[in-house]
Amino acid sequence: MSQVIADLFRRITCGVYVIGVAADSRYNAFTAAWVMPVSFNPLLLALSINPRHSSYELLTQGKSFSVNVLSRQQLDLARHFGGPATIDKLASVAWRKGRNGTPLLIDALAWFECGLTGECPAGDHVLALGRVIDGNLLKPDAAPLTYRETGDMDGAAAIFPDRFS
Ligand SMILES: Cc1cc2nc3c(=O)[nH]c(=O)nc-3n(C[C@H](O)[C@H](O)[C@H](O)COP(=O)(O)O)c2cc1C
């Protein structure tokens, strides 16, 4: 466990997103901070996902994902979707299907829809590349939630190594 390394990594500024996935009328969503734009043309976003998450199976089957941007007022949603899919996490939240079937949160600050174009192993995660096929800014005046504002909600301090190697 390393609180020191977790604190250091919190200085890399990330947003907080709810990633929606869908396949064969099954839907799920999870909180992610490791999301970034990686290309202007074509428009590409990269998502780093732990392949042990239940969402990963739906991502690889459905070959698409949505990125719902959370605002500073939505820490509760970050916590809700940061939990495992032992419950239907989408049942208590208003959402609709996007063009590619992935969940779009009605109350998001903004959303993107992506088609999965490739995957690359990244240590204990997988980098998923998504081509942005649609997007919408719903709350132009709202400030996006940052990862640092979530504190240790994701339990990262217990996961980071305790020294550099
Ligand atoms: C603030 C926060 C950020 C997170 N960022 C990521 C991330 O970037 N990638 C990832 O794979 N999991 C991330 N997680 C963990 C997942 O949200 C969590 O393990 C979730 O239970 C996975 O859900 P699922 O099993 O329903 O797919 C984050 C959690 C929180 C609370």
Side-chain angles (χ1 to χ4, degrees), residues 102-157:
T102 54
L104 303 177
L105 302 190
I106 303 299
D107 203 29
L109 185 160
W111 51 257
F112 301 84
E113 277 193 83
C114 300
L116 184 68
T117 60
E119 289 185 52
C120 171
D124 53 15
H125 278 53
V126 172
L127 271 186
L129 270 188
R131 182 167 186 152
V132 180
I133 60 159
D134 203 358
N136 199 6
L137 177 57
L138 307 170
K139 299 176 185 171
D141 298 326
L145 182 63
T146 63
Y147 174 62
R148 197 172 167 203
E149 291 169 294
T150 66
D152 198 40
M153 185 189 286
D154 62 351

Side-chain angles (χ1 to χ4, degrees), residues 16 28-34 48-50 53-55 78 81-85 89 125 147 150 153-154:
V16 184
N28 195 20
F30 72 100
T31 302
W34 291 354
S48 184
I49 177 172
N50 184 331
H53 292 347
S54 53
S55 298
F81 285 104
K89 288 184 269 184
H125 278 53
Y147 174 62
T150 66
M153 185 189 286
D154 62 351

Side-chain angles (χ1 to χ4, degrees), residues 20-29 49 53-65 90 102-103 116:
V21 287
D24 302 329
S25 302
R26 292 183 297 145
Y27 305 91
N28 195 20
I49 177 172
H53 292 347
S54 53
S55 298
Y56 182 67
E57 184 195 347
L58 295 187
L59 173 69
T60 53
Q61 285 180 12
K63 300 207 177 313
S64 56
F65 62 96
L90 286 159
T102 54
L116 184 68

